[in-house]
């Protein structure tokens, strides 16, 4: 919840926003988002401010169907405070999908106001390839292959630095015709 932009602000409101219990000391808020890291902090400095938590995640081994929001919750994020997260996929790591109907990597959705998401991909994010078609039988042709799946879904705004590869899965090949 964002603090108001004008009018009186109580220390209890500031403490509640920044999840800080009594007794209150203004120095406890040094370096919080948008506030000075040292020197004088005035009550007016809190107008329009909101709390954030910083969580950095690293994917260091290959994995499937990665959901950033699920990973943030598992890392201790409470789901209600704005989060600033950088998720890094290491070089040589592949994040892939097990189904054409599932994303290999996704943000998840419904993040609190003020959330900032960053993805640094040094590896590979790969959607699943489609299944091949069936071969034909006597007097009939083979069937078409199925479409490939998506690699990435951004259900929240995100900044992506791609030093690797992000690729949707390719479609499956059609089945061959019957032998004559």
């Amino acid at each position: 919840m964002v603090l108001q932009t004008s009018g009186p602000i109580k220390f209890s409101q500031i403490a509640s926003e920044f999840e800080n219990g009594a007794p209150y000391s203004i120095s406890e808020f040094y370096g919080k988002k948008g506030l000075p890291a040292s020197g004088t902090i005035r009550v007016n400095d809190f107008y329009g401010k909101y709390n954030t938590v910083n969580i950095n995640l690293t994917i260091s081994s290959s994995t499937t169907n990665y959901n950033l929001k699920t990973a943030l919750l598992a890392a201790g994020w409470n789901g209600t405070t704005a989060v600033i997260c950088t998720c890094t996929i290491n070089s040589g790591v592949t994040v892939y999908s097990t189904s054409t109907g599932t994303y290999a990597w996704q943000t998840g959705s419904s993040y609190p106001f003020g959330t900032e998401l960053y993805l640094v991909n040094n590896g590979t994010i790969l959607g699943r390839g489609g299944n091949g078609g069936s071969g034909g039988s006597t007097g009939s042709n083979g069937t078409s292959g199925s479409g490939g799946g998506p690699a990435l879904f951004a259900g929240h705004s995100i900044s992506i630095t791609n030093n690797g590869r992000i690729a949707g899965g390719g479609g499956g090949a059609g089945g061959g015709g019957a032998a004559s």
Side-chain angles (χ1 to χ4, degrees):
M1 179 84 105
V2 178
L3 291 170
Q4 72 262 24
T5 57
S6 65
I9 297 178
K10 297 178 183 177
F11 277 113
S12 61
Q13 290 173 290
I14 294 169
S16 177
E17 175 59 29
F18 288 92
E19 300 174 358
N20 193 346
Y24 312 119
S25 170
I26 202 84
S27 64
E28 296 175 45
F29 302 102
Y30 279 132
K32 297 286 185 179
K33 184 171 179 147
L35 295 172
S38 62
T40 303
I41 297 179
R42 300 179 329 256
V43 172
N44 291 353
D45 290 333
F46 289 94
Y47 283 141
K49 298 298 188 283
Y50 52 90
N51 191 24
T52 61
V53 293
N54 293 307
I55 300 177
N56 294 317
L57 300 172
T58 301
I59 302 174
S60 57
S61 61
S62 294
T63 189
T64 60
N65 310 330
Y66 190 86
N67 184 306
L68 181 62
K69 190 169 188 179
T70 300
L72 285 166
L73 291 166
W77 175 54
N78 65 12
T80 60
T81 302
V83 63
I84 298 173
C85 175
T86 299
C87 178
T88 302
I89 301 172
N90 286 348
S91 179
V93 171
T94 301
V95 178
Y96 60 98
S97 175
T98 57
S99 164
T100 57
T102 304
Y103 303 101
W105 192 99
Q106 66 172 302
T107 62
S109 58
S110 300
Y111 285 87
F113 174 82
T115 292
E116 298 175 19
L117 303 179
Y118 302 89
L119 171 62
V120 179
N121 178 34
N122 298 310
T124 301
I125 303 172
L126 187 61
R128 186 177 187 291
N131 292 328
S134 300
S137 57
T138 305
S140 68
N141 293 323
T143 61
S144 300
S146 61
L152 186 143
F153 174 73
H156 183 83
S157 62
I158 185 167
S159 174
I160 299 173
T161 302
N162 187 28
N163 302 314
R165 183 174 67 158
I166 301 173
S180 35

